[in-house]
Amino acid sequence: MQKTILIVHGMRKGKLNELLEDFIYALFDETQIDYDVAFLESEARSLETVVATTVRQGYRVVNLVPLLLFTASHYYEDIADQVQMWKTQYAQVHFLLAEPLGTHPAMADWVSHQMARYAHEIDDATGVVILAHGNARFNEPDIALTYLAQQQTSEQLQCYPSMVYGKLNFQETLPPLAAKYQKLLIVPFFFYDGYLVNKTKRQIEELNLPVEITYTTAINFDPVLKNIILARIAACEEAHHVSDTVELV
């Protein structure tokens, strides 16, 4: 039997986890996927608890799909390191860890659509910034976001990466852009317009940059996420099929 566990960051307290869970259930209500939801931050539905329950239920193939945008500390330390432990603890179970969601080509399409939606805000004096979470200890988010920005750059429009944390910190990257452009269009590359996005907007305002700043909406659980998650699940299933074939040979 095969089960997919969708891994969400979540919060240890409050109602956010319930809202996230309701959204995921609504998203996959019409699919035939056998799945469960686990949280990195939860007092009741932690990833470790959900994995243990899944194994007890007799599943022998477990697809782990992190609902994260990039690989960084949560991906490597909270999930990948645990997977290695589970492979030893549950030797009878085949665990497959999917890639994060933000590096899928469809996310580049989402950014393009956001820019198109706000095309009335863009002219020759506008710089476009993709703003993401970032990480001070891992450079993979910087590399992925820089590539994403390069994909949106053309002869007519320059797109720049910026982060809340890490080397591309907005406090370092935005002032030079404010000196170059009269306007900035900032695309929040976050799952939803929540606490961190609003906090970062306030911090950017406190920089008193001499430019007009417009923000697009964040991803806000756009339906594109469903297609990306399904693609990540399919990749896990394909990897399992290939490994089975190799073992049989």
Side-chain angles (χ1 to χ4, degrees):
M1 294 196 299
Q2 180 172 240
K3 167 86 78 173
T4 293
I5 299 178
L6 304 176
I7 307 168
V8 188
H9 184 279
M11 298 289 288
R12 192 159 293 276
K13 295 181 179 181
K15 295 185 177 181
L16 177 61
N17 287 8
E18 294 179 18
L19 295 174
L20 295 173
E21 201 166 5
D22 288 344
F23 162 76
I24 294 172
Y25 289 149
L27 201 63
F28 289 91
D29 183 48
E30 297 181 358
T31 68
Q32 302 298 317
I33 297 172
D34 188 356
Y35 73 95
D36 206 341
V37 179
F39 296 92
L40 297 180
E41 295 286 343
S42 172
E43 294 182 340
R45 297 188 60 78
S46 69
L47 177 57
E48 183 176 1
T49 299
V50 173
V51 166
T53 299
T54 300
V55 173
R56 283 199 304 271
Q57 291 172 340
Y59 289 92
R60 291 298 176 261
V61 178
V62 178
N63 303 322
L64 300 166
V65 181
L67 272 60
L68 302 171
L69 290 173
F70 301 121
T71 53
S73 54
H74 288 310
Y75 186 90
Y76 290 120
E77 298 171 353
D78 297 333
I79 303 174
D81 287 352
Q82 293 298 314
V83 170
Q84 295 306 313
M85 294 176 55
W86 294 328
K87 285 183 177 180
T88 299
Q89 183 178 359
Y90 307 116
Q92 76 279 18
V93 180
H94 191 176
F95 291 94
L96 299 109
L97 176 58
E99 296 180 17
L101 308 185
T103 55
H104 191 279
M107 287 311 308
D109 294 336
W110 176 84
V111 174
S112 297
H113 292 155
Q114 285 293 85
M115 292 168 59
R117 287 181 58 210
Y118 288 80
H120 60 284
E121 301 285 352
I122 301 174
D123 56 30
D124 293 339
T126 306
V128 177
V129 178
I130 306 177
L131 177 68
H133 187 282
N135 190 284
R137 295 188 294 115
F138 294 85
N139 66 352
E140 285 93 333
D142 291 350
I143 295 171
L145 191 68
T146 298
Y147 177 68
L148 185 60
Q150 290 172 344
Q151 288 179 293
Q152 308 303 322
T153 295
S154 64
E155 293 182 1
Q156 295 76 31
L157 183 67
Q158 187 72 34
C159 189
Y160 302 89
S162 188
M163 295 287 196
V164 177
Y165 303 105
K167 294 181 179 179
L168 295 176
N169 184 283
F170 67 86
Q171 294 176 337
E172 301 293 332
T173 57
L174 292 187
L177 296 179
K180 183 176 181 179
Y181 295 97
Q182 298 176 18
K183 298 190 296 182
L184 295 178
L185 176 69
I186 299 181
V187 182
F189 198 63
F190 291 80
F191 280 121
Y192 50 90
D193 284 306
Y195 170 78
L196 185 56
V197 171
N198 292 324
K199 176 183 176 182
T200 304
K201 287 181 179 179
R202 292 194 297 271
Q203 291 174 329
I204 292 175
E205 183 178 356
E206 292 171 0
L207 294 177
N208 293 315
L209 299 175
V211 290
E212 176 186 338
I213 299 178
T214 300
Y215 295 91
T216 76
T217 57
I219 300 169
N220 289 335
F221 304 109
D222 188 283
V224 69
L225 294 178
K226 178 178 180 179
N227 295 330
I228 296 175
I229 294 169
L230 291 175
R232 294 307 193 214
I233 294 173
C236 286
E237 293 175 345
E238 181 179 354
H240 175 60
H241 174 74
V242 170
S243 65
D244 276 354
T245 303
V246 171
E247 290 170 2
L248 288 172
V249 172

